[in-house]
């Protein structure tokens, strides 16, 4: 079995919603041929977009022709739909198909139990910035050595890719990078509202807050300097930043809330599994 993806290898995608379509768009940008992607989704509008782009599209599994061999089966349905409907896709799996599931909290064993034809499963947890190629995706697979290059190639256009060697760690990954964008969007919302409370014109306050966040994130990325040093570098003794930080950091309250946030998300991921 080849460990890379060839432009003519057939790829099956089940679920072309937010995450499925972000991944498909990444593949198309990377040069994967639209004609090699077979998409099953019960949403006609989503299918129309992709049939116009040259993908093979199907409203249900019954419409997929018999005898096709898929190198990759990307599963991008909601976990609650998977539990009800996954078994029907078993006939589309051949012994060499690699099942790639992006479903949060759905364990490898659950997928193997529901799809007896599957020999190889890779779980990947992407996050929403994948839609603009700035995502963080984390993979776990017991067949990692067989599929490492294939998976890293398939997810390359979505941003950074990392592996974990223990499936349990996927709960922590879900809590940090999977759910993380929402925490940062909430921080952004608080920052905008705080800026607006300082009697600046609302739209201007929002621009200042958001562009400061974006600039700070880019500085972290491009400078390579650790975040604590970056903070110290802009904090003059007795200056305005110090005054602001003292209010933000008093009682360690923010730090404790952020930790509680990650712990609660990991706990929920374990409960849902
Ligand atoms: N979005 C994220 O940020 C994110 C991050 C990490 C992981 N994930 C994972 O990605 C998976 C998909 O999430 P999503 O946000 O992309 O969901 P979504 O936008 O709801 O996409 C799912 C798609 O599947 C379709 N569908 C539903 N039932 C179907 C069936 N039986 N057969 C074929 N298609 C069906 C849906 O159509 P209808 O709309 O008509 O129901 C929809 O187009 C989830 O397991 C989630 O855990 C998502």
């Amino acid at each position: 079995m080849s460990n890379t993806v060839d432009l003519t290898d057939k790829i099956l995608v089940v679920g072309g919603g937010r995450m499925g379509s972000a991944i498909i768009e990444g593949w198309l940008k990377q040069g994967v041929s639209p004609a090699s992607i077979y998409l099953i989704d019960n949403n006609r509008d989503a299918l129309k977009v992709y049939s116009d782009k040259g993908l093979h599209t199907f409203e249900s599994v019954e419409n997929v022709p018999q005898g096709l061999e898929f190198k990759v089966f990307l599963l991008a349905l909601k976990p609650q739909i998977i539990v009800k409907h996954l078994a029907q896709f078993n006939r589309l799996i051949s012994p060499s198909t690699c099942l790639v599931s992006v479903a949060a909290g759905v364990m490898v064993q659950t997928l193997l139990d529901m799809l007896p034809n599957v020999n190889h499963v890779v779980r990947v947890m992407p996050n929403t910035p994948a839609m603009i190629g700035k995502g963080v995706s984390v993979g776990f697979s017991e067949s990692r050595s067989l599929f490492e290059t294939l998976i890293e190639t398939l997810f390359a256009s979505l941003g950074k890719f990392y592996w974990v060697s223990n499936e349990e760690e996927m709960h922590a990954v879900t809590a940090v990078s999977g759910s993380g964008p929402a925490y940062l969007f909430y921080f952004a919302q608080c920052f905008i509202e705080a800026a607006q409370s300082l009697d600046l014109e609302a739209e201007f306050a929002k621009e200042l807050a958001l562009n400061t966040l974006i600039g700070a994130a880019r500085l972290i990325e491009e400078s390579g300097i650790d975040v604590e040093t970056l903070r110290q570098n802009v904090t003059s003794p007795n200056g305005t930043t110090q005054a602001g930080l003292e209010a933000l950091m008093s009682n360690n309250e923010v730090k404790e809330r952020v930790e509680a946030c990650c712990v609660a998300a990991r706990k929920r991921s374990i409960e849902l599994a």
Side-chain angles (χ1 to χ4, degrees):
M1 177 189 323
S2 153
N3 197 6
T4 55
V5 69
D6 192 283
L7 297 188
T8 56
D9 285 329
K10 290 185 179 53
I11 299 177
L12 174 68
V13 179
V14 178
R18 274 162 299 184
M19 194 43 72
S21 60
I23 295 171
I24 293 171
E25 292 296 341
W27 289 342
L28 296 178
K29 274 194 213 131
Q30 253 176 297
V32 172
S33 159
S36 65
I37 305 176
Y38 293 67
L39 171 65
I40 306 177
D41 195 301
N42 60 6
N43 181 321
R44 282 188 187 174
D45 296 338
L47 288 184
K48 171 88 176 72
V49 170
Y50 286 108
S51 59
D52 287 350
K53 291 188 180 192
L55 277 72
H56 302 270
T57 56
F58 307 92
E59 243 180 271
S60 83
V61 64
E62 290 81 37
N63 305 127
V64 181
Q66 299 279 354
L68 295 172
E69 278 220 1
F70 295 103
K71 179 157 187 170
V72 173
F73 172 168
L74 176 78
L75 178 61
L77 294 175
K78 292 275 191 205
Q80 58 275 29
I81 305 285
I82 289 177
V83 174
K84 279 200 207 141
H85 298 288
L86 190 60
Q88 63 182 312
F89 300 102
N90 193 48
R91 77 163 178 85
L92 300 176
I93 294 160
S94 52
S96 60
T97 304
C98 176
L99 173 70
V100 182
S101 167
V102 296
V106 181
M107 306 295 278
V108 168
Q109 194 55 52
T110 307
L111 298 165
L112 290 170
D113 290 345
M114 296 188 75
L115 296 170
N117 285 356
V118 165
N119 286 326
H120 311 287
V121 180
V122 179
R123 275 186 65 191
V124 176
M125 173 51 60
N127 65 8
T128 40
M131 291 169 194
I132 54 155
K134 289 283 178 191
V136 174
S137 302
V138 179
F140 165 76
S141 177
E142 273 155 16
S143 316
R144 173 175 163 184
S145 57
L146 282 177
F147 296 105
E148 189 160 321
T149 312
L150 170 70
I151 298 299
E152 288 174 12
T153 306
L154 285 175
F155 284 86
S157 65
L158 302 187
K160 309 256 187 217
F161 193 94
Y162 305 91
W163 290 98
V164 290
S165 49
N166 176 344
E167 190 174 13
E168 283 303 303
E169 284 179 73
M170 290 300 274
H171 295 302
V173 164
T174 303
V176 177
S177 55
S179 302
Y183 315 151
L184 296 169
F185 297 145
Y186 178 66
F187 179 82
Q189 184 188 336
C190 295
F191 196 25
I192 291 168
E193 286 170 12
Q196 290 174 340
S197 75
L198 299 181
D199 296 332
L200 293 170
E201 191 271 316
E203 199 50 35
F204 178 51
K206 181 176 162 188
E207 292 279 322
L208 288 186
L210 288 183
N211 285 309
T212 300
L213 275 172
I214 293 164
R218 292 289 297 270
L219 187 60
I220 294 170
E221 185 179 37
E222 288 180 25
S223 70
I225 300 172
D226 68 88
V227 288
E228 193 173 348
T229 306
L230 284 172
R231 171 168 58 78
Q232 283 160 357
N233 288 350
V234 290
T235 312
S236 320
N238 284 323
T240 56
T241 310
Q242 184 176 334
L245 283 172
E246 277 171 7
L248 184 67
M249 294 165 79
S250 69
N251 307 325
N252 257 356
E253 227 175 315
V254 174
K255 192 177 160 125
E256 283 168 14
R257 288 292 91 212
V258 173
E259 194 178 321
C261 158
C262 291
V263 168
R266 184 181 60 177
K267 179 168 175 278
R268 186 69 184 133
S269 174
I270 294 168
E271 284 165 3
L272 290 173

